[in-house]
């Protein structure tokens, strides 16, 4: 009997696994996978729940890996939902619930495909699932923790498919072969507080910060390349915390975020930001400080065997050849890329994180069929 990915999705959605709560989702997956012969290990770290599951011999050179997450973002205004956020209710061909799109359906589809493969036609090789409960949160103790544990245990994937939603309009229309990096810079400008009627007795950090932000906003970081759009810089905060209209404040803060392609690294961008800041400090006499936070580096898995295999499977099941893209935000592929080649492919994602999040029910078994084709082709090679 084949494994029903829709029913497995329903059961997962009914688990209230809002980050950082496990909610029973990983326990459910571990039970299903263990029954099919997978060796399952909880790799929890600092209160974050993670699951590692392997079928086949450890260290087999032909090991297909899958990465996903069962944690979900908060419901938000529950009264705005027309369906129970954790009810997994169906209506008009849609399955509703938080995580239905991002990404319990993807996890269910791959788990179902993997279970059927190893129970019906056991391959010469191994299948690994790495499922985290920390993708929607800080992402410090999720996939990173699993990969750290794998290194210590001598576990390895030859390649990895991340099942995040990747398709903008129709199942099969896009896969992600890389991602932009993300670095945020936090600036503080410090001057001298004073009365606005006597500006010569003060040193206004607001004007200096405005000059810096204008300079950064006007900069062209690059023109993009064959696989990436141009890098972008966005101003996300500009604040003094000053409620008075007759006081020049002593300090001012601003934050920018850069989403960058593989022309840059976070270090090179931090150095550039520091240079711009130093120039404005010298021009204005205002003191500046900067700290940075990196969410991930830009990376690319060059088109090749893995992306070709995914494209063939998607076209066979949907009639669509996926576009190779590096658009969008960050994902846990930014961690997996240091372990093995990685590509992302999953369902249509435009309903994720929304009120009444939902997935077209018929697309879940179709995604399972794509994943099953990928697995069969990989182990037939």
């Amino acid at each position: 009997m084949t494994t029903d990915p829709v029913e497995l999705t329903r059961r997962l959605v009914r688990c209230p696994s809002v980050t950082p709560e496990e909610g029973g989702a990983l326990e459910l997956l571990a039970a299903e996978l263990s029954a099919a012969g997978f060796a399952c290990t909880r790799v929890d770290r600092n209160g974050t729940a993670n699951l590692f599951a392997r079928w086949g011999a450890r260290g087999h050179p032909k090991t297909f890996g899958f990465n996903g997450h069962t944690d979900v973002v908060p419901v938000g205004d529950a009264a705005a939902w027309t369906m129970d956020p954790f009810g997994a209710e169906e209506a008009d061909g849609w399955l509703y619930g938080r995580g239905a799109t991002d990404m319990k359906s993807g996890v269910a589809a791959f788990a179902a495909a993997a279970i059927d493969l190893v129970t019906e036609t056991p391959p010469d090789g191994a299948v690994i699932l790495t499922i985290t409960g920390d993708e929607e949160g800080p992402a410090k103790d999720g996939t990173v923790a699993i990969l750290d544990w794998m290194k210590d245990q001598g576990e390895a994937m030859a390649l990895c498919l991340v099942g995040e939603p990747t398709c903008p309009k129709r199942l099969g229309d896009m896969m992600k072969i890389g991602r932009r990096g993300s670095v945020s810079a936090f600036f503080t400008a410090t001057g001298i507080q004073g009365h606005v009627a006597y500006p010569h007795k003060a040193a206004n950090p607001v004007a200096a910060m405005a000059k810096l932000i204008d300079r950064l906003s006007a900069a062209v970081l690059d023109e993009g390349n064959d696989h990436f759009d141009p890098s972008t810089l966005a101003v996300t905060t500009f604040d003094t915390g000053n409620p008075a209209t007759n006081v020049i404040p002593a300090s001012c803060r601003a934050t920018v975020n850069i989403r960058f392609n593989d022309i840059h690294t976070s270090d090179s961008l931090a150095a550039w930001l520091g240079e711009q800041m130093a120039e404005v400090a010298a021009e204005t006499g205002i003191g500046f400080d900067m700290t940075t936070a990196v969410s991930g580096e830009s990376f690319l898995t060059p088109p090749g065997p893995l992306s070709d295999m995914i494209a063939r499977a998607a076209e066979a099941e949907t009639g669509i050849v996926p576009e190779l893209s590096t658009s969008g935000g960050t994902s846990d592929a930014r961690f997996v890329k240091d372990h093995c080649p990685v590509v992302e492919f999953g369902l249509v994602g435009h309903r994720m994180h929304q009120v009444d999040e939902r997935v077209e029910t018929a697309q879940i078994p179709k995604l399972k069929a794509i994943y099953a084709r990928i697995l069969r082709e990989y182990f037939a090679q």
Side-chain angles (χ1 to χ4, degrees):
M1 178 180 292
T2 59
T3 306
D4 182 357
V6 176
E7 179 58 27
L8 184 53
T9 301
R10 291 191 195 101
R11 294 169 66 195
L12 287 171
V13 169
R14 292 184 185 119
C15 298
S17 52
V18 178
T19 310
E21 297 299 321
E22 186 271 331
L26 294 181
E27 293 180 6
L28 169 59
L29 282 173
E32 293 292 321
L33 292 165
S34 295
F38 281 80
C40 294
T41 304
R42 283 286 291 272
V43 189
D44 296 5
R45 190 169 79 180
N46 294 330
T48 294
N50 303 297
L51 177 67
F52 173 89
R54 171 177 42 78
W55 184 94
R58 176 188 299 177
H60 198 291
K62 203 167 188 61
T63 298
F64 193 101
F66 176 83
N67 176 263
H69 66 92
T70 53
D71 64 316
V72 299
V73 297
V75 168
D77 182 5
W81 287 67
T82 62
M83 300 286 188
D84 179 352
F86 299 108
E89 301 173 69
E90 291 186 68
D92 301 322
W94 296 85
L95 192 159
Y96 286 74
R98 178 58 84 220
T101 299
D102 188 16
M103 59 167 290
K104 291 180 174 179
S105 50
V107 170
F110 188 87
I115 288 170
D116 288 357
L117 175 77
V118 303
T119 55
E120 296 173 1
T121 54
D124 179 13
V127 181
I128 285 177
L129 286 82
T130 56
I131 312 297
T132 180
D134 188 36
E135 197 273 346
E136 301 289 7
K140 302 295 186 183
D141 296 301
T143 294
V144 174
I146 300 175
L147 293 171
D148 288 345
W149 178 88
M150 288 175 64
K151 183 177 181 180
D152 290 341
Q153 297 296 316
E155 300 277 5
M157 301 177 288
L159 49 78
C160 185
L161 170 63
V162 176
E164 288 281 356
T166 58
C167 299
K169 294 181 179 179
R170 297 174 59 194
L171 176 61
D173 63 8
M174 184 176 288
M175 74 175 84
K176 307 285 186 175
I177 60 169
R179 291 280 187 166
R180 295 180 299 172
S182 174
V183 58
S184 293
F186 307 88
F187 297 101
T188 300
T190 303
I192 300 173
Q193 183 173 317
H195 197 293
V196 297
Y198 306 98
H200 58 286
K201 295 183 178 181
N204 195 335
V206 179
M209 183 67 81
K211 186 172 187 176
L212 173 61
I213 293 303
D214 179 64
R215 181 174 299 190
L216 297 179
S217 298
V220 177
L221 296 172
D222 57 71
E223 300 293 339
N225 56 27
D226 289 345
H227 293 293
F228 286 91
D229 290 334
S231 301
T232 59
L233 182 149
V235 182
T236 58
T237 64
F238 192 113
D239 180 55
T240 66
N242 177 24
T245 59
N246 61 347
V247 175
I248 294 170
S251 65
C252 180
R253 292 164 298 282
T255 304
V256 302
N257 177 267
I258 300 177
R259 296 300 171 105
F260 58 94
N261 56 39
D262 59 355
I263 295 172
H264 310 278
T265 66
S266 61
D267 286 343
S268 69
L269 288 169
W272 173 76
L273 289 165
E275 291 168 0
Q276 303 305 305
M277 181 184 73
E279 289 179 7
V280 172
E283 293 167 6
T284 62
I286 297 295
F288 277 88
D289 290 306
M290 180 188 77
T291 61
T292 59
V294 181
S295 298
E297 298 291 342
S298 176
F299 74 93
L300 177 73
T301 299
L306 178 54
S307 56
D308 290 347
M309 186 165 52
I310 294 170
R312 285 191 292 270
E315 183 180 16
E317 294 293 336
T318 67
I320 301 171
V321 178
E323 175 188 350
L324 306 183
S325 173
T326 57
S327 63
T330 58
S331 77
D332 277 3
R334 70 189 190 273
F335 307 126
V336 179
K337 55 92 175 173
D338 293 326
H339 178 88
C340 66
V342 58
V343 171
E344 299 173 59
F345 180 79
L347 293 174
V348 176
H350 64 280
R351 302 288 185 182
M352 60 184 176
H353 295 200
Q354 294 185 356
V355 168
D356 279 343
E357 180 178 347
R358 58 195 181 273
V359 60
E360 192 173 354
T361 307
Q363 296 301 305
I364 302 174
K366 193 171 287 290
L367 181 62
K368 175 194 172 183
I370 294 171
Y371 288 161
R373 278 184 178 272
I374 293 168
L375 287 169
R376 289 196 302 270
E377 179 176 338
Y378 175 72
F379 287 110
Q381 291 173 351

